[in-house]
Amino acid sequence: MSDIINRRDLDFQVFEVHDAESLTRRERHADHSRETFAATLDTAQAIATDKFAPHNRESDEHEPQFDGQKITIIPAVKEALDAYCAAGMMSPTKDYDLGGMQLPVLVAQAASALFKSANGPTLSYAGLTSGNANVIQNFGTERQKKKYLAALLSGRFFGTMALTEPQAGSSLSDLTTRATPNGDGTYAIKGNKIFISGGDHEMTENIVHLVLARIPGAPAGVKGISLFTVPKYHTDERGQVGARNDVALAGLIHKMGWRGTTSTMLSFGEKGQCTGELVGVEHQGLACMFQMMNEARIGVGMGAVMYGYRGYLASLQYARERPQGRLPGNKNPLDPQVPLIQHADIRRMLLAQKAYVEGALSLGLYAARLVDDQRTGETEAQRTEAGLLLDLLTPVVKSWPSQWCLEANSLAIQVLGGYGYTREYPVEQYYRDNRLNMIHEGTHGIQALDLLGRKVMMQQGAALELLGREVRKTVQAAAGHDGLRAFGESLAAAWNDVTETVRQIGAVLAQDGDRALANATVFLEAFGHTVMAWTWLRQALVAARGLPSAANGEERDFYLGKLRACQWFFHWELPRNGPQHALLRSLDDSTLTMSPSWF
């Protein structure tokens, strides 16, 4: 088995659960087949294994350095990214005439997962660039597209998004970077940005920053934010770079994990000569940037999944190979020790990891399939419904794996015991790297407010009702399987709890929004666990159908493992929700009435 993925599980998710092959019946993907999808995954796995994984530890131990003149990054990072770009991985879903492969997002996201498992920090340079290119393609002028798009999609330029400012943090309404019209269609940009991933390096000819800023006279708050392209080097309409723009590296940020990616503080316009160009319409910058942010949120969730997955595989291998102790019923010290995996508590920790990471992988790929349905669904209704479901689930896709796949990393360390806490084994790095994903692209608190304050309530609860319809379909399907019927009944009850909690909180939201949303993070966790139970029941149904025709012992073991992981989640995890719903419905005001002076 590969140490970056259980390939049988990835194929199960892509082809059996999410039915990638059915997408070949759509005009956009008609040139493809299951074979071309599998070949894409094979190529991604080979490059991830050969080029990305080998320097994952090296880039952690030798993070980027700034000598006052330029940044130095270990050569293996650029070598890996060059191989990634040469294989067309920068633009797998793009049109053929843009150099893309017109692959479904589902397949592209599965391929990306392999790189995220192998080396997330190195991949982040490419991921940010792809998101940057998508914004320019969708909202940029024809001139901006000619300047940047081909260069970004080929990897000749890399891109970033520059949102956060030192004094504002996640509160974008408080950003102060200014964009003053120059009179020639360009703008003078002045301000400071912080935590800009990939914000400076020497690996490409240019770096294109997407910068949020305010035009003089703009409305206060988020309604007055505009978006600008601000390249490191000035670029002509043919994409050729020229003189340096007034974008300066103010310093590098040194992090607990994810050390292989430059995290930068950038100063725009220190000399009064920083030039940018408006993307889209004035004061609509956040709407443009949200496309990149939502894509990034799904990407962050998948990154969290794959760090959890990598830790799971490492601890599973260790538990199979490491002899230690004897079973509780054996008191004879002369008997040989048994492998760790023979101990029930070790299997508990492995089973929890399996449930978290394989469930979250399925959820992330479901979100990718929704993107495909939103873009290429056969009817307008199908496209609209996919968009609603995607909006509703995006906070969960980002946050649930960031919490629970990090818990999987913690359990992986525990399986290895003292060795897990040392740098001689990789699981401690996976934990450090994964810890960032709880912060990346919006913390749990931000995602929770988005979910409860907006997404479940939008369009009079239309998205929630759509998801409820999908849940009921799964419950009905489970009713036809003796071994899964009880899980379906538990899921139905859990969904009823969700809708009742939403009803009660919704009745308070308009009158007392602070109190209604005070415990939103609890709702995010309970809602996420319900969605994950649904995700596991969907996998179990596919496994139950495949089990009778399993061709060999390995196939049978694979499907039985899926069924047991589903059972574990319903027995051990879903019951967490009951007390959480009781707390939510009580509208507990402990956090609101706790005076800051009492801490």
Side-chain angles (χ1 to χ4, degrees):
M1 181 186 295
S2 167
D3 65 352
I4 65 172
I5 194 71
N6 176 352
R7 181 57 187 274
R8 178 64 186 91
D9 183 37
L10 187 64
D11 289 343
F12 171 78
Q13 305 287 359
V14 171
F15 297 113
E16 297 179 60
V17 177
H18 301 296
D19 194 14
E21 198 167 358
S22 68
L23 295 170
T24 63
R25 295 194 289 271
R26 297 179 183 177
E27 181 179 357
R28 179 168 181 79
H29 311 302
D31 291 341
H32 288 289
S33 64
R34 177 168 179 149
E35 288 69 30
T36 62
F37 294 162
T40 299
L41 298 180
D42 289 342
T43 299
Q45 186 168 345
I47 298 173
T49 301
D50 296 342
K51 297 293 186 180
F52 280 68
H55 71 273
N56 188 47
R57 173 64 82 176
E58 183 185 4
S59 63
D60 178 69
E61 295 176 338
H62 302 281
E63 60 185 300
Q65 299 296 318
F66 180 46
D67 63 6
Q69 298 295 320
K70 67 178 183 178
I71 289 178
T72 301
I73 298 174
I74 61 169
V77 176
K78 178 172 169 49
E79 293 171 10
L81 290 168
D82 286 347
Y84 180 92
C85 294
M89 294 295 171
M90 189 73 82
S91 54
T93 65
K94 296 295 183 186
D95 295 350
Y96 293 134
D97 59 10
L98 288 174
M101 294 184 274
Q102 291 190 192
L103 285 167
V105 175
L106 171 59
V107 176
Q109 193 65 261
S112 179
L114 293 160
F115 294 101
K116 288 172 179 173
S117 179
N119 192 323
T122 291
L123 181 67
S124 64
Y125 292 102
L128 286 163
T129 300
S130 295
N132 181 296
N134 288 341
V135 172
I136 292 173
Q137 181 180 4
N138 291 330
F139 301 105
T141 64
E142 289 304 314
R143 183 170 181 268
Q144 288 167 340
K145 294 175 186 177
K146 289 178 182 178
K147 289 170 68 170
Y148 302 124
L149 199 53
L152 289 166
L153 293 176
S154 67
R156 190 163 67 88
F157 295 178
F158 279 176
T160 76
M161 57 179 181
L163 289 72
T164 308
E165 297 183 1
Q167 82 292 341
S170 298
S171 180
L172 296 179
S173 63
D174 295 314
L175 67 81
T176 59
T177 299
R178 310 292 288 177
T180 305
N182 287 324
D184 61 356
T186 66
Y187 292 77
I189 310 296
K190 186 171 181 59
N192 299 295
K193 299 289 183 177
I194 195 169
F195 298 127
I196 309 307
S197 297
D200 202 10
H201 52 76
E202 303 295 324
M203 294 189 293
T204 54
E205 294 179 34
N206 205 353
I207 302 173
V208 183
H209 304 289
L210 286 175
V211 179
L212 290 178
R214 296 186 185 281
I215 297 171
V222 296
K223 294 181 180 179
I225 298 174
S226 300
L227 181 64
F228 302 85
T229 54
V230 184
K232 179 179 178 179
Y233 293 96
H234 293 292
T235 308
D236 66 21
E237 293 187 6
R238 296 173 299 167
Q240 300 303 306
V241 298
R244 178 75 182 253
N245 201 357
D246 187 8
V247 180
L249 175 64
L252 293 181
I253 299 166
H254 301 284
K255 307 182 296 294
M256 168 184 170
W258 209 273
R259 296 172 177 171
T261 306
T262 56
S263 182
T264 63
M265 297 175 281
L266 297 178
S267 293
F268 296 88
E270 278 189 342
K271 302 175 183 178
Q273 299 176 356
C274 182
T275 302
E277 296 180 337
L278 180 69
V279 178
V281 180
E282 288 186 0
H283 317 319
Q284 296 297 312
L286 201 56
C288 299
M289 188 63 92
F290 257 120
Q291 173 182 302
M292 185 175 183
M293 289 168 67
N294 282 334
E295 291 174 3
R297 284 170 175 169
I298 295 173
V300 166
M302 287 293 287
V305 171
M306 299 318 297
Y307 270 119
Y309 212 128
R310 191 88 187 268
Y312 164 56
L313 293 179
S315 64
L316 176 60
Q317 180 180 357
Y318 184 88
R320 284 174 168 161
E321 296 175 353
R322 164 78 174 183
Q324 187 167 319
R326 296 155 191 86
L327 297 181
N330 184 354
K331 307 301 182 183
N332 186 355
L334 299 179
D335 282 349
Q337 297 186 83
V338 298
L340 276 173
I341 202 168
Q342 293 295 330
H343 296 285
D345 196 57
I346 296 294
R347 278 182 283 189
R348 173 188 64 83
M349 292 187 283
L350 292 171
L351 193 48
Q353 290 181 70
K354 179 181 176 70
Y356 297 153
V357 302
E358 292 183 10
L361 176 61
S362 194
L363 176 63
L365 293 177
Y366 177 72
R369 173 65 197 242
L370 286 176
V371 177
D372 284 319
D373 290 342
Q374 184 182 32
R375 294 178 180 178
T376 63
E378 296 173 0
T379 66
E380 181 63 30
Q382 185 181 13
R383 293 190 291 272
T384 299
E385 289 181 356
L388 278 172
L389 286 171
L390 188 62
D391 283 346
L392 175 66
L393 289 173
T394 294
V396 181
V397 173
K398 188 274 175 189
S399 281
W400 198 94
S402 298
Q403 179 177 358
W404 294 99
C405 293
L406 181 68
E407 175 61 18
N409 288 124
S410 178
L411 290 169
I413 292 173
Q414 194 71 16
V415 169
L416 270 69
Y419 289 115
Y421 200 64
T422 71
R423 293 180 64 80
E424 299 303 313
Y425 288 82
V427 290
E428 62 83 27
Q429 182 188 344
Y430 302 152
Y431 183 93
R432 287 188 290 106
D433 286 345
N434 209 357
R435 184 59 182 83
L436 180 60
N437 288 314
M438 294 182 77
I439 303 168
H440 253 166
E441 304 308 327
T443 62
H444 280 340
I446 290 171
Q447 304 300 329
L449 291 173
D450 182 38
L451 177 65
L452 184 57
R454 287 184 287 270
K455 298 300 177 58
V456 300
M457 305 296 181
M458 64 183 179
Q459 299 184 28
Q460 291 76 50
L464 192 68
E465 176 53 37
L466 273 175
L467 184 57
R469 184 185 70 187
E470 297 303 311
V471 168
R472 289 189 290 273
K473 286 180 183 177
T474 304
V475 170
Q476 290 169 1
H481 292 263
D482 291 340
L484 302 179
R485 185 178 301 111
F487 301 151
E489 293 168 355
S490 295
L491 177 59
W495 186 255
N496 288 339
D497 274 339
V498 167
T499 56
E500 178 58 22
T501 296
V502 169
R503 186 191 68 79
Q504 292 191 29
I505 291 178
V508 178
L509 190 59
Q511 291 76 32
D512 191 352
D514 288 345
R515 186 169 186 180
L517 297 176
N519 302 313
T521 53
V522 178
F523 179 81
L524 174 63
E525 186 171 325
F527 184 79
H529 259 54
T530 304
V531 169
M532 193 53 57
W534 170 62
T535 300
W536 263 112
L537 190 53
R538 293 182 73 220
Q539 290 190 71
L541 284 164
V542 177
R545 289 194 294 269
L547 186 59
S549 59
N552 54 50
E554 287 187 3
E555 277 291 280
R556 182 174 175 79
D557 287 345
F558 175 81
Y559 287 130
L560 288 172
K562 286 291 181 184
L563 292 169
R564 191 50 51 95
C566 177
Q567 173 183 303
W568 189 91
F569 197 89
F570 274 86
H571 287 179
W572 287 67
E573 292 292 333
L574 191 59
R576 295 174 185 265
N577 289 14
Q580 292 175 319
H581 284 294
L583 175 63
L584 288 161
R585 293 171 196 171
S586 74
L587 296 171
D588 177 74
D589 64 355
S590 298
T591 56
L592 294 176
T593 57
M594 179 65 179
S595 171
S597 65
W598 297 347
F599 283 99

